[in-house]
Amino acid sequence: MMPPPPLRLHLLFRSETLIPLLRQRPSCDAPHCRTRRYISVRASAAQLAAADVSTAQQPALELGLEAAAAGFVTGKRKATEVAHAFWRNIVQKGDTVVDATCGNGNDTLALLKMVADETGRGRVYGMDIQDSAIENTSSFLKMAVDDEHQRGLVKLFPICHSRMEEIVPKDAPVRLVAFNLGYLPGGDKTVITVPRTTELALRAASRILSSGGLISVLVYIGHPGGRDELDVVESFSSSLPVDTWVTCKLQMLNRPVSPVLVLLNKK
Amino acid sequence: MMPPPPLRLHLLFRSETLIPLLRQRPSCDAPHCRTRRYISVRASAAQLAAADVSTAQQPALELGLEAAAAGFVTGKRKATEVAHAFWRNIVQKGDTVVDATCGNGNDTLALLKMVADETGRGRVYGMDIQDSAIENTSSFLKMAVDDEHQRGLVKLFPICHSRMEEIVPKDAPVRLVAFNLGYLPGGDKTVITVPRTTELALRAASRILSSGGLISVLVYIGHPGGRDELDVVESFSSSLPVDTWVTCKLQMLNRPVSPVLVLLNKK
C-alpha cells in the first residue's frame, strides 16, 4: 500500500495563493457551507482508487458530446460524462474556469486538462469548504499530473463556494463554473451541500461568468434534502432572464435518484 | 401562387394500403383522437411555406447530435432539431419507423430520408386522425421528394395513433416511434392531442418498439391542457421498468412554454 497522500502540494498551493487571500476574508456561515465530496485526509492511494477518483484519467472522460448524449439516452453513459462533454464543447485552452465543489478532484483535473497549454494562461479556481477535500484534490492532482507547471495552473481554496468572487480575479473572464451538489455515493450522507449556500453560490457564479460561458450543476437527489436542493437550483435557473440566459435540464425519468444535470448558458 | 396541393398522392396511398385496413378497423374514440398538426386541406404552397413545412429540406435538419445538443443549450437550436439529431443517431437505412403524428409532414419527410435507400426496405408508417393532415403530408412529400419509389416507402393512415398496432406489420422490427404532441404554434389551439389517447398510443408504441429502439416525444406545453399531457407522458415514462427501459427528458427552465423532449430507449 502506498503511503498517505502528502500535504506538501496542498500547502504549496496555499502558501502561494491562498493564505494572503484568506487573511482578508469575511466571516462565512460555515455551518451551512458543507461539501459533499470528501474522503479522509488520511486516504491512501488505494482508497482514492476505490473512490473512483482515477476515472478522471480514463478515455471515457474524453468522450465527445455526441457520444455522451447518445450514451446517456441509452443508459451507457452517466450524467457526469455528459456534463464533461458539454464543458469540453465550450471551454478552450487558456480559459479561466471554476470548480465550485472540488471534492476529491475529479472535475478539477478534467478542467485542468481543458484549459492547460504551453502558454500557461489557463486557470482553474477550485474550492471546497472542507480542508480534507482540498487536500485530497491536491494529492490527486499530484498523482495524476506530472508537470508541476501545469499543476500550478490550479488554485485551491478551502472556502465556501458562495464566496467564489473573493478568489477569482475580477479581470478574468470566467468561461465555466462547475458544481457537483449532494453527497458522494458511498460516502457520508450527512455531509452534503445545502440549498441556502448553493443558491448564494449560483448567484455568485452568474455574476462572474462571462458572456458565452456556462454554469454546470450536477444535482444528486437520492439523499434526504436532495430534492429541496434541486428545487432551489431549478427555481434559480427558471428565474434568470430569457434575454441573457438559456437554462435547461437533463433528467432521467425512470431512475428517480439519478443526478439531474442543469446547464445555465449566459448569452 | 401555386395551385392547391393535389389530393392524388394521398388517395394513391390510401387506395393501395389504407382502405383495406380500415375496413376491418374497430371503433375508435374519435372525439379524443384529435391531432395538433393540421392546416387546411386547401392550403396553398405559400401557406405550407408560411407554416414552415419547408424547413424539413434545410441543412439544419441534417444537424449532428453534437451540434444539436450544444446548440440547444446555447439557445441556437430548437428541441425539434435535437429530436431529429437523436433519431438520426439511432435510425438506419432500411429501418421501419413510425410517425405517430404526421401533421404537415415535416417529421415524416425527415424519417423517410433516414430510412430510404436503394434496397427499398425502409418504411415510414405515418398516421393522423385528421384527414386534412394526411392530405397535407401527402402533398408535402410529393413536393419534397421527386422519386416516386421513395415516396412509396411512406404509408399514411388517417387513424388515431393509439391504433398504430393495426397498421404496422407484426414482423417489422420498429426502430423509432415519433410523437409531436400539442398544437401547431400559430394554428388552431383548440385542435390538440389529449392525454387519454396519447397514453394509449405510448403504450402501443412501447409494445411494437424493437430492442434498441427509441420512442421520441416532443410535448408542446404552452396551451391549456399541455401541462396535463406532459404529466401523462412523464408518468408513463417514469413507470417503465429500469431493466428494459432508459427514459429521460430534456427541458428548458427559463422558457416555461418551450416544448419538452422525452426520450424512451428500449434496451
Side-chain angles (χ1 to χ4, degrees):
Chain A
M1 182 178 287
M2 291 179 66
L7 296 179
R8 191 179 55 80
L9 188 66
H10 165 51
L11 295 173
L12 185 66
F13 282 136
R14 291 225 297 195
S15 65
E16 284 178 343
T17 63
L18 187 60
I19 300 301
L21 280 158
L22 288 182
R23 280 196 194 116
Q24 51 186 320
R25 78 180 186 183
S27 65
C28 177
D29 48 353
H32 299 281
C33 294
R34 294 178 294 181
T35 185
R36 75 166 189 88
R37 288 192 172 270
Y38 89 108
I39 44 183
S40 163
V41 65
R42 297 186 187 282
S44 66
Q47 284 173 305
L48 285 168
D52 204 25
V53 294
S54 63
T55 55
Q57 301 168 80
Q58 301 303 316
L61 274 184
E62 299 298 328
L63 215 60
L65 185 50
E66 173 158 346
F72 182 76
V73 166
T74 54
K76 297 183 179 76
R77 296 295 179 183
K78 296 182 295 184
T80 186
E81 292 176 291
V82 179
H84 283 205
F86 272 111
W87 303 355
R88 263 192 297 277
N89 199 270
I90 211 160
V91 173
Q92 296 168 17
K93 297 293 185 190
D95 277 351
T96 295
V97 297
V98 173
D99 183 352
T101 46
C102 280
N104 51 34
N106 266 332
D107 289 350
T108 321
L109 176 62
L111 290 169
L112 175 59
K113 294 294 183 189
M114 292 176 207
V115 304
D117 65 3
E118 65 284 355
T119 71
R121 288 179 295 112
R123 290 289 183 279
V124 182
Y125 291 90
M127 67 208 73
D128 207 302
I129 192 62
Q130 296 210 323
D131 279 342
S132 56
I134 295 295
E135 287 155 4
N136 282 323
T137 298
S138 294
S139 302
F140 178 53
L141 289 174
K142 192 171 187 190
M143 284 197 299
V145 183
D146 291 334
D147 183 339
E148 191 171 354
H149 174 70
Q150 194 177 97
R151 285 201 308 271
L153 304 181
V154 178
K155 311 299 180 188
L156 295 175
F157 303 84
I159 65 169
C160 174
H161 52 194
S162 63
R163 295 174 53 213
M164 67 179 71
E165 286 163 299
E166 297 169 28
I167 56 173
V168 179
K170 286 191 169 36
D171 60 347
V174 175
R175 182 88 67 176
L176 177 85
V177 183
F179 291 84
N180 249 307
L181 304 178
Y183 71 94
L184 180 64
D188 183 348
K189 294 189 180 185
T190 66
V191 182
I192 57 172
T193 52
V194 292
R196 195 170 75 81
T197 44
T198 292
E199 185 177 355
L200 291 173
L202 286 171
R203 291 193 186 282
S206 72
R207 288 189 292 264
I208 67 172
L209 197 72
S210 63
S211 175
L214 183 74
I215 300 174
S216 166
V217 194
L218 197 60
V219 192
Y220 290 82
I221 54 177
H223 61 287
R227 291 274 169 187
D228 296 336
E229 189 151 64
L230 178 61
D231 285 346
V232 162
V233 174
E234 286 199 17
S235 175
F236 173 76
S237 306
S238 302
S239 74
L240 289 169
V242 294
D243 56 337
T244 45
W245 291 88
V246 180
T247 69
C248 65
K249 71 168 174 174
L250 186 58
Q251 182 171 17
M252 281 288 167
L253 288 171
N254 68 339
R255 285 157 175 77
V257 299
S258 289
V260 179
L261 178 59
V262 178
L263 298 170
L264 318 180
N265 179 262
K266 195 172 189 174
K267 284 185 179 177
Chain B
M1 183 177 289
M2 292 179 64
L7 297 180
R8 192 178 55 78
L9 188 67
H10 165 49
L11 295 173
L12 184 68
F13 282 136
R14 290 226 298 195
S15 64
E16 283 178 343
T17 63
L18 186 61
I19 300 301
L21 279 158
L22 289 183
R23 280 195 195 115
Q24 51 183 325
R25 77 180 187 183
S27 65
C28 177
D29 49 354
H32 298 281
C33 295
R34 294 179 295 181
T35 184
R36 74 166 190 90
R37 287 194 172 267
Y38 91 109
I39 44 182
S40 165
V41 64
R42 297 185 188 281
S44 66
Q47 284 172 306
L48 285 167
D52 204 25
V53 294
S54 64
T55 55
Q57 300 167 78
Q58 302 302 317
L61 275 183
E62 299 298 328
L63 215 59
L65 184 50
E66 174 157 346
F72 182 77
V73 166
T74 54
K76 297 184 180 74
R77 297 295 177 182
K78 297 182 295 186
T80 186
E81 292 177 290
V82 179
H84 283 206
F86 272 111
W87 302 356
R88 265 192 296 277
N89 200 269
I90 210 160
V91 173
Q92 297 168 15
K93 298 292 184 189
D95 277 352
T96 295
V97 297
V98 174
D99 184 351
T101 46
C102 280
N104 51 34
N106 266 333
D107 289 349
T108 321
L109 175 62
L111 290 169
L112 175 59
K113 294 294 183 190
M114 293 177 206
V115 303
D117 65 2
E118 64 285 352
T119 71
R121 288 179 295 110
R123 291 290 182 279
V124 182
Y125 291 90
M127 68 208 73
D128 206 303
I129 191 63
Q130 295 209 324
D131 279 343
S132 56
I134 295 296
E135 287 155 4
N136 282 323
T137 297
S138 294
S139 302
F140 178 52
L141 289 174
K142 192 170 187 193
M143 283 197 300
V145 183
D146 291 335
D147 184 339
E148 193 170 353
H149 173 71
Q150 195 178 99
R151 284 201 310 270
L153 304 181
V154 178
K155 311 298 180 186
L156 296 175
F157 302 85
I159 64 171
C160 175
H161 52 194
S162 63
R163 295 174 54 211
M164 67 178 70
E165 286 164 298
E166 297 169 31
I167 56 173
V168 179
K170 287 193 168 33
D171 60 348
V174 175
R175 183 87 67 177
L176 178 84
V177 183
F179 290 84
N180 247 307
L181 305 177
Y183 71 93
L184 180 65
D188 183 347
K189 294 188 179 183
T190 66
V191 182
I192 57 173
T193 52
V194 293
R196 196 170 74 80
T197 44
T198 292
E199 185 178 355
L200 291 173
L202 286 171
R203 291 193 185 282
S206 72
R207 288 189 292 265
I208 68 172
L209 196 72
S210 63
S211 174
L214 183 73
I215 299 174
S216 166
V217 194
L218 197 61
V219 192
Y220 289 82
I221 53 177
H223 61 287
R227 290 274 168 188
D228 296 336
E229 190 151 64
L230 178 60
D231 286 346
V232 162
V233 173
E234 287 199 17
S235 175
F236 173 75
S237 305
S238 301
S239 74
L240 289 170
V242 294
D243 56 335
T244 45
W245 290 89
V246 180
T247 69
C248 66
K249 70 169 175 175
L250 185 58
Q251 182 171 18
M252 281 289 166
L253 288 171
N254 67 340
R255 284 157 176 77
V257 299
S258 289
V260 180
L261 178 60
V262 177
L263 298 169
L264 319 179
N265 179 261
K266 196 172 189 175
K267 283 187 178 174

